[in-house]
Amino acid sequence: MGIFSPDGALARLLNTLGNLIVLNILTIICCVPVFTAGAAMTALYTMVMRMARKEDGKIISEYFKAFKVNFKQATIIWLILMVIGAIIGFDLYFFMRVQTESSTVRTVMMAIFLAFGIIWICVTLFVFPLQAKFYNPVKRTLFNAFFMSIRHFFHSVGMLAIDVLLVAAGLLVPMLAALVFLFGFPLLA
């Protein structure tokens, strides 16, 4: 079996890269209406996990099947996370910009809401893979994501650092911007 054979390593690599590009495009399109981003990310994680288990199939139809199956629950989770994130973001903005007098209360409140923000981001990193892998009620999925983000805090910070580095590399290095655009969401998954 040569390198250029249809079953060779090069063909498998190119097939995987093509599938990742298709998944990224599908995820971007499905995230355009913002309220469907949760279902889009859950479908993405479902497909990436299948690819990792070598269960490749029809990428597009399986993606939309996972999107449809998880739509209601993932959308509810996403909307809850958006509301919580908006509250934390507003509070941080308020204490950074509106309350301009320096005081101990301002510093303490900023530290508290910054900690809440970091925990919120870490929960967001875990919630959609959990939704893709397991079927639980919304409350249980959010609790499990919260528990995992606290229990594995250093892994959460590492995952967050990798995500930030990929986005920063795409923004700061023009040559990598095209790669991040093509493979962005699947790379983060």
Side-chain angles (χ1 to χ4, degrees), residues 94-107 110:
F94 178 78
F95 285 107
M96 285 174 52
R97 300 283 185 211
V98 176
Q99 180 136 6
T100 55
E101 61 188 52
S102 71
S103 68
T104 306
V105 173
R106 177 179 182 239
T107 305
M110 281 182 54

Side-chain angles (χ1 to χ4, degrees), residues 15-16 19 47 50-59:
N15 184 40
T16 301
N19 287 342
M47 296 310 298
R50 286 183 186 168
M51 288 175 67
R53 290 189 308 257
K54 307 285 190 234
E55 296 175 6
D56 294 343
K58 297 178 179 177
I59 293 294

Side-chain angles (χ1 to χ4, degrees), residues 7 23 33 81 84 89 120 123 141-142 144-145 147-148 159 161 182:
D7 296 328
L23 284 175
L81 287 173
I84 293 170
W120 176 82
V123 167
T141 301
L142 288 169
N144 287 343
F147 181 73
M148 287 180 71
M159 289 168 37
L182 287 175

Side-chain angles (χ1 to χ4, degrees), residues 2-172:
I3 191 169
F4 294 111
S5 71
D7 296 328
L10 181 63
R12 285 192 310 269
L13 174 69
L14 293 175
N15 184 40
T16 301
L17 291 176
N19 287 342
L20 291 175
I21 291 170
V22 168
L23 284 175
N24 190 49
I25 292 168
L26 289 174
T27 304
I28 289 170
I29 290 169
C30 291
C31 283
V32 169
V34 176
F35 72 92
T36 61
M41 293 304 292
T42 302
L44 171 71
Y45 279 107
T46 300
M47 296 310 298
V48 169
M49 284 189 249
R50 286 183 186 168
M51 288 175 67
R53 290 189 308 257
K54 307 285 190 234
E55 296 175 6
D56 294 343
K58 297 178 179 177
I59 293 294
I60 296 172
S61 63
E62 293 293 321
Y63 178 89
F64 283 115
K65 182 179 176 186
F67 184 89
K68 182 180 175 184
V69 166
N70 292 300
F71 181 78
K72 181 180 177 187
Q73 202 161 0
T75 302
I76 292 170
I77 290 170
W78 175 241
L79 292 175
I80 291 170
L81 287 173
M82 277 184 25
V83 168
I84 293 170
I87 291 169
I88 292 170
F90 174 77
D91 288 336
L92 278 171
Y93 176 79
F94 178 78
F95 285 107
M96 285 174 52
R97 300 283 185 211
V98 176
Q99 180 136 6
T100 55
E101 61 188 52
S102 71
S103 68
T104 306
V105 173
R106 177 179 182 239
T107 305
V108 168
M109 293 307 287
M110 281 182 54
I112 288 171
F113 286 115
L114 191 61
F116 282 158
I118 291 170
I119 291 170
W120 176 82
I121 291 170
C122 292
V123 167
T124 304
L125 288 173
F126 281 101
V127 77
F128 297 116
L130 283 172
Q131 177 64 31
K133 181 74 174 166
F134 305 106
Y135 180 77
N136 285 316
V138 170
K139 186 177 179 182
R140 179 47 102 186
T141 301
L142 288 169
F143 174 78
N144 287 343
F146 173 75
F147 181 73
M148 287 180 71
S149 67
I150 300 300
R151 173 72 171 91
H152 304 286
F153 184 72
F154 293 112
H155 289 94
S156 302
V157 171
M159 289 168 37
L160 179 60
I162 291 170
D163 291 352
V164 168
L165 285 174
L166 282 172
V167 171
L171 293 174
L172 298 176

